[in-house]
């Protein structure tokens, strides 16, 4: 198969009056949350002025672009996301640096909050300071059971620490006149900025890059743009002295590109066009590209410790010197390419793959290449992925304008008339499974990169590769959209099972930390196959259940007289699992009811959540008799002892609260007035829970229980459970590997295909009333309230809280920043209905 193929393209609508033209230089950046930022210049015919725009898209909804007039007066030269993917830096050719963050935690609404500047001095390199978090992925250990072995923490110091070892936030930039400027963000929001020259003899810096060392220092590489000049390196130390930021710099060994010393190529490549450290935390490896009008050559250099040869005369004078050879640091060339077409952009891997010999060998044997390739884009529109150490070709993509190689020598290939379309800026995703390029028309292309670079593998090995990267995202908290690009419907069932097995091999503490993330991951996988869609419903319900359970239990207060060692919530869990009685009142009697006393307004405000619990329990029990069908939502709960146990605890809490305020109880429509619906449901739920409370010893529900559940529809009105939000993302439309063409600002029609038609069975039809999925409130068929929806699962909720009660605030705090599934929020147009 191809190592690289095009998944989708998204372009600007041609408007007669104003148009987006790519800025020069054009820059883009890709965050660990799978947001991509890039620049264009908006040219307005009337004013003939350029507006420097920053655009931010979420890769799942690329058409929903957030475009902001950056306020930069000169062209934007750098864009950089922070480690958490929630803030973006932009810098321009006038020395201004701006820090952008989300407004109200919305991925399609951004504002500039703070910044810094070096007046009139263009910024050529920019980076956030390092926060000291560094992982290494060990391919060799991909079969190990423990996540800590596969993804180990590397000892790495932050660039600067606050009191108590907390990393200080801030950024560092290099300007064209040879200055280095550092800005520190104090916890109170103040910015401390300090600027120093890199060395005493300041000279023009055309290109620069920044990297970090494990010891907490910063390394800056610079070039004046000419290949006959040396590439210089500097060590930069930042400290805070008397509330002021202090910068010390020191010169490190420099290097001359090898192509300038090679007699055959002496004057062939006059300009250095790209200078990049291989990774922000690898200051000892650098990639250089030198170019002429039509060609380029790429070299990879590495900084090595070497012994200094010492003359014999000295050894006789001082035997000490002879024992221990003095060491020096020296740049050595690792590899170089042959003459290439002119390089237009370079993208480096962000996946922190371990590069020991064993890891490299295992990677090669199993054909696991993410993180080992870097991307080069060429002026003819093609893209090569080359190995980061050997620069050997691993995969190639021929753009629309580049011609596929024919047998005759490449020299004869006629150059097409006029400029060719090519990528001006490129970025790899955080797992290296996707590549985004912005071309000379401002069009965004999304490419898939095969983990095996196109080598055909058996199904088991392909699954192992994807599983390894899913686990990496689970541990780091990064978004895994780019992995889903490679999941075929036939893989889903297997991946979900294997992911669960790996998760169960971790220790209890880690399982607790990852408990919701794995559910969200399974949900996103199950969306990709028509046979598992019903399980998406269950996983979303499970996320909702976990969140409600935590919130309601956190409202219980210990009685002030005795200070128990266990919280009331923990004690509730303990008592409910110990007392297996199916009579709700006998379980209730064992609890200290004074811990459950809440204000009446609080109880009333929780009614919608309580109603959901009551409805769900009834729906589950009523669906027990036809449990043979996994195609029905709710199926997986019937065997899930942990979830049934949570429902059972919540029923007990609700029962006690109902004694305090009857109007907070779930409302059931019963055929008889005398029936105690809650105790009936509790009794049946307990029996079902007893069948599967022990994971290794699950028994079938007996006929008596099934008969009683068969009668439920004649005793109570079975509610309609509102299942899935509408699925309007791109990922499931990319599975048949056909290129999807999109336009910025224009949502694509929901193209019908197998998965989405299955999906629609569980979604409300367009004319039906909308629902706030997290507050469980009905919004009407044409909502008038502003809403936000999750970029990943699509669930919808109102932007503003209709309620002022503290308990409700506590519930809403759970999903103010991210959805329950971990996805980011985006503001919806008012007409979303």
């Amino acid at each position: 198969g191809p190592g690289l193929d095009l998944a989708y393209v998204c372009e600007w609508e041609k408007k007669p009056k104003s148009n987006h033209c790519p800025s020069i230089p054009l820059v883009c950046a890709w965050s660990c949350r799978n947001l991509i930022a890039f620049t264009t210049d908006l040219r307005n015919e009337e004013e003939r002025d350029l507006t420097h725009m920053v655009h931010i898209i979420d890769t799942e909804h690329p058409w929903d672009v957030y475009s902001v007039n950056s306020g930069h007066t000169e062209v934007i030269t750098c864009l950089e996301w922070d480690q958490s993917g929630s803030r973006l830096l932009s810098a321009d050719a006038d020395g201004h640096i701006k820090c952008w963050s989300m407004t109200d935690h919305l991925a399609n609404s951004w504002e500039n909050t703070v910044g810094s500047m070096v007046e009139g001095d263009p910024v050529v390199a920019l980076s956030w300071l390092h926060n000291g978090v560094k992982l290494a992925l060990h391919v060799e250990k991909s079969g190990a059971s423990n996540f800590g072995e596969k993804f180990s923490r590397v000892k790495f110091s932050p660039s600067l620490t606050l009191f108590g070892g907390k990393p200080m936030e801030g950024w560092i930039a290099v300007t064209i006149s040879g200055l280095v400027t550092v800005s520190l963000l104090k916890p109170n929001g103040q910015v401390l900025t300090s600027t120093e020259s890199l060395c005493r003899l300041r000279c023009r810096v055309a290109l620069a890059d920044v990297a970090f060392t494990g010891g907490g220092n910063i390394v800056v590489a610079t070039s004046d743009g000419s290949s006959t000049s040396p590439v210089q390196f500097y060590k930069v130390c930042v400290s805070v002295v008397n509330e002021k930021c202090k910068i010390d710099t020191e010169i490190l060994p420099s290097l001359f590109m090898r192509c300038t010393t090679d007699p055959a190529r002496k004057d062939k490549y006059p300009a250095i066009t790209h200078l990049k450290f291989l990774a922000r935390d690898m200051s000892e490896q650098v990639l250089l590209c030198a170019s002429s009008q039509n060609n380029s050559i790429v070299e990879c250099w590495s900084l090595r410790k070497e012994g200094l040869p010492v003359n014999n005369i000295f050894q006789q004078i001082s035997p000490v010197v002879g024992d221990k050879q003095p060491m020096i640091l020296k740049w050595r060339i690792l590899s170089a390419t042959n003459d290439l077409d002119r390089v237009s952009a370079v993208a480096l891997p962000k996946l922190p793959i371990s590069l020991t010999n064993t890891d490299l060998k295992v990677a090669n044997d199993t054909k696991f290449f993410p993180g080992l390739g870097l991307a080069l884009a060429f002026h003819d529109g093609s893209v090569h992925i080359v190995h980061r150490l050997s620069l050997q070709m691993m995969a190639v993509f021929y753009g629309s304008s580049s011609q596929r190689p024919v047998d005759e020598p490449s020299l004869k290939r006629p150059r097409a008339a006029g400029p060719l379309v090519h990528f001006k800026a490129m970025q790899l995703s955080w797992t290296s499974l996707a590549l985004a390029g912005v071309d000379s028309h401002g069009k965004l292309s999304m490419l898939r990169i095969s983990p095996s670079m196109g080598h055909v593998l058996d199904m088991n090995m392909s699954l192992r590769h994807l599983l390894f990267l899913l686990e990496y995202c689970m541990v780091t908290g990064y978004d895994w959209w780019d992995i889903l690009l490679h999941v075929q419907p036939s893989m889903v069932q297997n991946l979900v099972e294997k992911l669960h097995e790996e998760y169960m091999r971790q220790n209890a503490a880690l399982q607790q930390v990852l408990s919701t993330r794995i559910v969200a991951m399974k949900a996103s996988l199950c969306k990709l196959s028509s046979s598992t869609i019903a399980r998406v419903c269950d996983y979303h319900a499970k996320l909702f259940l976990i969140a409600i359970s935590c919130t309601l239990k956190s409202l219980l207060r210990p009685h002030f007289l005795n200070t128990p060692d266990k919280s009331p919530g923990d004690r509730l869990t303990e008592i409910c699992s110990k007392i297996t009685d199916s009579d709700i009142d006998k379980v209730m009697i064992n609890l200290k009811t004074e811990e459950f006393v809440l204000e009446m307004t609080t109880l009333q405000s929780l009614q919608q959540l309580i109603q959901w619990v009551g409805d769900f329990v009834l729906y589950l029990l009523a669906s027990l008799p036809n449990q043979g069908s996994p195609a029905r939502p709710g199926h997986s709960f019937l065997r899930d002892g942990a979830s049934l146990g949570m429902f059972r605890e919540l029923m007990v809490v609700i029962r006690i609260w109902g004694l305090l305020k009857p109007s907070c109880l779930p409302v059931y429509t019963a055929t008889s007035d005398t029936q105690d619906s809650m105790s009936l449901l509790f009794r049946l739920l307990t029996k079902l829970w007893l069948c599967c409370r022990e994971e290794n010893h699950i028994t079938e529900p007996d006929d008596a229980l099934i008969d009683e559940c068969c009668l439920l529809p004649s005793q109570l009105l079975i509610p309609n459970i509102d299942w899935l939000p509408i699925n309007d993302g791109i990922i499931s439309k990319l599975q048949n590997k056909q290129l999807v063409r999109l336009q910025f600002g224009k949502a694509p029609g929901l193209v019908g295909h197998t998965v989405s038609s299955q999906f629609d069975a569980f979604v409300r039809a367009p004319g039906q009333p909308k629902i706030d999925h997290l507050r469980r409130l009905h919004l009407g068929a044409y909502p008038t309230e502003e809403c936000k929806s999750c970029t990943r699962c699509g669930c919808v909720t109102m932007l503003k809280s209709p309620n002022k009660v503290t308990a409700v605030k506590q519930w809403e705090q759970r999903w103010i920043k991210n959805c329950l599934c971990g996805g980011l929020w985006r503001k919806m147009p008012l007409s979303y209905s």
Side-chain angles (χ1 to χ4, degrees):
L4 270 172
D5 69 305
L6 204 48
Y8 64 72
V9 295
C10 199
E11 45 200 327
W12 298 100
E13 191 185 356
K14 294 274 177 285
K15 283 198 185 141
K17 281 279 184 268
S18 62
N19 62 0
H20 285 277
C21 52
S23 47
I24 303 178
L26 184 139
V27 280
C28 77
W30 192 324
S31 84
C32 63
R33 309 294 303 267
N34 282 321
L35 296 179
I36 295 176
F38 64 102
T39 57
T40 63
D41 293 337
L42 192 61
R43 184 185 281 127
N44 203 328
E45 286 305 312
E46 273 101 63
E47 296 149 30
R48 300 198 175 284
D49 269 355
L50 285 187
T51 310
H52 303 290
M53 306 292 292
V54 171
H55 308 284
I56 296 176
I57 61 146
D58 148 46
T59 54
E60 174 72 329
H61 304 91
W63 57 88
D64 185 20
V65 59
Y66 180 73
S67 302
V68 59
N69 174 351
S70 67
H72 284 294
T73 50
E74 293 293 328
V75 68
I76 297 168
T77 54
C78 306
L79 283 176
E80 284 290 321
W81 289 101
D82 69 347
Q83 270 310 106
S84 69
S86 52
R87 284 177 308 182
L88 178 72
L89 290 177
S90 61
D92 67 19
D94 194 31
H96 287 249
I97 299 172
K98 298 182 179 219
C99 176
W100 301 84
S101 49
M102 283 186 248
T103 319
D104 299 330
H105 309 289
L106 296 169
N108 55 356
S109 182
W110 294 77
E111 56 190 354
N112 166 222
T113 41
V114 290
S116 64
M117 65 177 188
V118 187
E119 195 64 63
D121 199 352
V123 174
V124 290
L126 175 68
S127 171
W128 289 90
L129 295 177
H130 203 288
N131 63 3
V133 177
K134 179 170 155 66
L135 280 183
L137 254 90
H138 302 281
V139 185
E140 181 204 353
K141 300 267 171 60
S142 68
S145 56
N146 179 341
F147 285 166
E149 284 178 56
K150 297 182 196 188
F151 318 111
S152 63
R153 273 293 287 265
V154 179
K155 209 169 152 38
F156 209 87
S157 300
S159 311
L160 197 61
T161 46
L162 287 158
F163 182 71
K166 194 175 182 297
M168 182 117 183
E169 298 192 304
W171 56 82
I172 174 171
V174 181
T175 70
I176 210 163
S177 75
L179 294 177
V180 58
T181 175
V182 174
S183 296
L184 304 177
L185 286 176
K186 292 180 65 179
N188 63 8
Q190 260 183 310
V191 181
L192 294 180
T193 298
S194 173
T195 306
E196 238 357 289
S197 59
L198 272 170
C199 61
R200 277 203 294 266
L201 282 171
R202 267 169 69 189
C203 51
R204 179 171 183 274
V205 175
L207 302 155
D209 199 20
V210 178
F212 302 93
T213 69
N217 291 320
I218 302 167
V219 180
V220 172
T222 66
S223 158
D224 65 5
S226 159
S227 62
T228 54
S229 308
V231 177
Q232 305 275 11
F233 294 86
Y234 305 91
K235 181 164 106 179
V236 176
C237 298
V238 183
S239 51
V240 176
V241 182
N242 303 332
E243 290 290 297
K244 289 222 166 41
C245 172
K246 181 169 175 292
I247 302 174
D248 293 297
T249 64
E250 153 187 343
I251 296 182
L252 294 172
S254 56
L255 67 85
F256 281 96
M257 282 192 72
R258 193 179 69 181
C259 60
T260 58
T261 55
D262 169 358
R265 294 195 172 96
K266 197 164 177 329
D267 303 314
K268 193 170 173 190
Y269 300 108
I272 295 186
T273 49
H274 298 88
L275 159 62
K276 293 264 179 217
F277 286 105
L278 251 89
R280 282 266 183 251
D281 46 24
M282 279 189 73
S283 56
E284 60 287 344
Q285 232 189 332
V286 65
L287 187 83
L288 297 160
C289 173
S291 306
S292 62
Q293 199 66 47
N294 298 327
N295 297 94
S296 293
I297 192 165
V298 175
E299 296 177 2
C300 184
W301 289 70
S302 134
L303 189 65
R304 306 254 175 96
K305 268 198 175 124
E306 294 183 3
L308 201 61
V310 176
N311 193 299
N312 286 343
I313 299 175
F314 293 110
Q315 291 187 350
Q316 286 149 14
I317 302 170
S318 157
V320 184
V321 178
D323 293 348
K324 201 166 174 230
Q325 202 181 13
M327 303 295 274
I328 58 158
L329 285 173
K330 204 169 163 79
W331 285 99
R332 289 277 180 211
I333 188 159
L334 264 186
S335 51
T337 61
N338 294 327
D339 301 322
L340 307 165
D341 204 87
R342 172 84 185 264
V343 170
S344 63
V346 175
L348 295 171
K350 302 178 182 70
L351 192 72
I353 199 119
S354 162
L355 297 172
T356 65
N357 288 340
T358 350
D359 283 310
L360 288 171
K361 184 181 182 321
V362 174
N364 200 42
D365 292 347
T366 58
K367 303 285 175 269
F368 179 83
F369 298 123
L372 289 175
L374 58 95
L376 302 173
F378 297 96
H379 274 250
D380 69 357
S382 65
V383 176
H384 292 182
I385 306 268
V386 298
H387 196 286
R388 61 189 285 175
L389 299 174
S390 66
L391 298 179
Q392 299 272 308
M393 173 96 84
M394 298 167 85
V396 62
F397 167 77
Y398 300 101
S400 48
S401 52
S402 65
Q403 291 147 332
R404 293 171 184 278
V406 204
D407 290 342
E408 89 256 23
S410 58
L411 298 172
K412 288 201 188 131
R413 197 169 79 200
R415 289 206 160 263
L420 296 167
V421 178
H422 57 264
F423 291 143
K424 292 252 209 229
M426 266 192 323
Q427 282 269 318
L428 284 162
S429 75
W430 284 57
T431 63
S432 281
L433 292 187
L435 175 72
V438 186
D439 71 16
S440 34
H441 294 169
K443 176 169 84 179
L444 179 99
S445 299
M446 178 64 66
L447 285 82
R448 268 188 208 90
I449 306 178
S450 138
S452 66
M453 294 293 168
H455 286 95
V456 181
L457 301 177
D458 64 77
M459 189 55 145
N460 206 12
M461 192 55 89
S462 304
L463 287 173
R464 255 185 62 187
H465 289 352
L466 296 178
L467 188 66
F468 190 44
L469 292 169
L470 282 169
E471 291 166 358
Y472 170 69
C473 289
M474 187 153 56
V475 169
T476 53
Y478 296 159
D479 185 71
W480 57 93
W481 177 89
D482 38 330
I483 305 175
L484 299 180
L485 274 180
H486 298 266
V487 176
Q488 288 303 306
S490 58
M491 301 176 171
V492 169
Q493 185 81 27
N494 255 326
L495 269 176
V496 170
E497 281 168 21
K498 289 196 156 73
L499 195 64
H500 184 76
E501 279 166 31
E502 291 299 324
Y503 169 78
M504 294 309 288
R505 292 162 78 177
Q506 309 312 308
N507 63 44
L510 185 57
Q511 283 190 24
Q512 185 58 44
V513 172
L514 303 176
S515 58
T516 53
R517 205 172 287 155
I518 185 169
V519 177
M521 225 170 222
K522 289 175 180 173
S524 65
L525 287 165
C526 287
K527 251 189 189 174
L528 300 178
S529 159
S530 48
S531 60
T532 49
I533 289 284
R535 281 162 61 189
V536 183
C537 309
D538 288 11
Y539 291 130
H540 285 309
K542 185 157 184 175
L543 286 171
F544 198 67
L545 167 65
I546 293 171
I548 284 188
S549 169
C550 292
T551 304
L552 297 190
K553 277 155 75 170
S554 71
L555 295 173
L556 308 180
R557 291 281 166 264
H559 200 49
F560 60 94
L561 293 174
N562 55 345
T563 44
D565 40 349
K566 283 200 179 73
S567 71
D570 290 344
R571 208 166 42 254
L572 168 75
T573 302
E574 195 178 286
I575 287 170
C576 286
S577 66
K578 206 161 57 192
I579 297 171
T580 57
D581 208 299
S582 61
D583 180 343
I584 192 163
D585 297 322
K586 285 194 180 145
V587 179
M588 201 171 80
I589 237 157
N590 292 281
L591 290 161
K592 301 197 169 104
T593 35
E594 62 271 18
E595 298 182 339
F596 291 76
V597 176
L598 297 183
E599 288 177 18
M600 294 299 150
T601 47
T602 303
L603 291 176
Q604 193 54 56
S605 69
L606 296 171
Q607 203 279 327
Q608 276 85 12
L609 299 183
I610 290 172
Q611 184 70 43
W612 180 85
V613 173
D615 282 351
F616 205 94
V617 169
L618 174 53
Y619 172 88
L620 281 184
L621 292 167
S623 70
L624 181 64
N626 55 15
Q627 60 176 321
S629 150
R632 279 190 58 143
H635 175 77
S636 66
F637 279 96
L638 301 175
R639 293 270 181 286
D640 178 355
S643 297
L644 296 175
M646 278 187 193
F647 276 122
R648 196 168 164 268
E649 289 167 26
L650 292 176
M651 294 287 276
V652 174
V653 175
I654 293 167
R655 178 73 160 194
I656 298 175
W657 284 347
L659 298 173
L660 299 167
K661 185 162 182 70
S663 64
C664 80
L665 286 170
V667 179
Y668 292 112
T669 312
T671 43
S672 115
D673 297 343
T674 55
Q675 169 180 299
D676 180 350
S677 306
M678 284 230 24
S679 73
L680 167 69
L681 293 175
F682 185 84
R683 188 163 55 78
L684 301 178
L685 176 65
T686 301
K687 286 185 174 173
L688 181 58
W689 168 68
L690 287 173
C691 294
C692 57
R693 61 188 293 217
E694 285 166 31
E695 208 173 329
N696 316 324
H697 185 68
I698 294 182
T699 57
E700 286 302 309
D702 59 15
D703 293 347
L705 174 58
I706 289 181
D707 290 345
E708 285 205 77
C709 289
C710 282
L711 291 173
L712 279 173
S714 63
Q715 297 164 300
L716 293 162
L717 181 69
I718 308 301
N720 273 332
I721 294 290
D722 194 49
W723 289 107
L724 285 180
I726 286 169
N727 181 28
D728 63 347
I730 193 76
I731 199 89
S732 50
K733 303 181 183 58
L734 300 174
Q735 286 186 307
N736 54 10
K737 299 275 173 122
Q738 295 296 311
L739 168 64
V740 177
R741 294 183 178 282
L742 304 163
Q743 207 178 59
F744 287 118
K746 212 168 175 179
L750 293 171
V751 201
H753 73 307
T754 48
V755 177
S756 55
S757 57
Q758 298 284 149
F759 199 88
D760 295 340
F762 303 117
V763 175
R764 292 200 162 195
Q768 282 181 306
K770 298 288 180 295
I771 188 161
D772 180 323
H773 292 99
L774 299 182
R775 295 189 180 90
R776 309 310 303 172
L777 294 170
H778 291 275
L779 302 174
Y782 302 101
T784 50
E785 287 297 314
E786 273 203 298
C787 289
K788 57 185 182 181
S789 81
C790 167
T791 53
R792 291 299 168 259
C793 73
C795 84
V796 174
T797 185
M798 287 181 283
L799 262 179
K800 295 196 174 56
S801 171
N803 221 315
K804 297 283 177 285
V805 184
T806 346
V808 175
K809 287 244 166 67
Q810 247 173 302
W811 168 240
E812 292 176 355
Q813 277 306 310
R814 288 199 166 268
W815 37 265
I816 192 96
K817 283 189 178 155
N818 302 311
C819 174
L820 296 176
C821 76
L824 291 167
W825 292 114
R826 61 187 185 123
K827 191 166 161 179
M828 300 182 74
L830 248 181
S831 61
Y832 89 94
S833 46

